[in-house]
Each structure stands twice: as structure tokens, then as C-alpha cells.
Amino acid sequence: CKAMLALALPLLSDLASSSVQTERSRRRALLTSRLLDNMSGCIFLLDRQARPFYMNRCADELLARKDVLRRATDGSLAGVS
């Protein structure tokens, strides 16, 4: 699982850094997204303000439950107390 994530991280930078991607970058980003969506663990990639710019399926489901994490009014993630 860690090895797969290590392989995927460089590809995620393509996903996050450019809104206009070449066809090759688009395919790599799609492959990375599919790879991360199929992982059993929740993956949140956050900016400096703790706002997610990528969440895999597990993370989306966890956030939707609203019993562990919630989205604050500024879009950042916060724990539920």
C-alpha cells in the first residue's frame, strides 16, 4: 500500500498543478485517481489552509458521514467534537 502511494504521489502533482493538461497527463491523472479510489484507506490531499484538493472515495464517504470530520465554512476540514 505504501509502495503504491509512493508511485502515485508524483502523478498527483500533475493532477493538482495544472488545469489544462496534455492528453498524456490526463491519462496519468485518471490512472492515479483510479488507483487511489481503489485503496481501502482514506486519502485527503490538503492545501495550506487544510482545504482538500483531492479526496479518494473512502475520504468522500468519511466526510459525508459527518461524525469524524466536517467541512468548515471556509472549505477547510475540521474534526467533529
Side-chain angles (χ1 to χ4, degrees), residues 6-16 25 28-29 31-32 35:
L7 290 172
L9 285 176
L11 300 176
L12 281 172
S13 66
D14 287 347
L15 180 67
S25 292
R28 288 176 61 183
L31 176 64
T32 300
L35 173 84

Side-chain angles (χ1 to χ4, degrees), residues 3-81:
M4 289 173 56
L5 187 56
L7 290 172
L9 285 176
L11 300 176
L12 281 172
S13 66
D14 287 347
L15 180 67
S17 67
S18 176
S19 61
V20 179
Q21 300 177 9
T22 63
E23 183 64 21
R24 182 175 172 204
S25 292
R26 189 191 67 75
R27 286 186 200 154
R28 288 176 61 183
L30 181 60
L31 176 64
T32 300
S33 182
R34 287 181 181 165
L35 173 84
L36 293 175
D37 273 344
N38 289 317
M39 294 179 80
S40 60
C42 297
I43 298 174
F44 294 87
L45 298 179
L46 309 174
D47 65 14
R48 290 179 185 211
Q49 288 76 39
R51 293 181 305 233
F53 62 86
Y54 177 84
M55 297 186 302
N56 70 350
R57 187 177 324 147
C58 176
D60 281 330
E61 291 168 2
L62 179 69
L63 190 58
R65 288 186 357 214
K66 299 180 182 176
D67 62 347
V68 177
L69 289 173
R70 65 177 176 79
R71 206 179 275 264
T73 56
D74 66 356
S76 64
L77 295 183
V80 173
S81 52

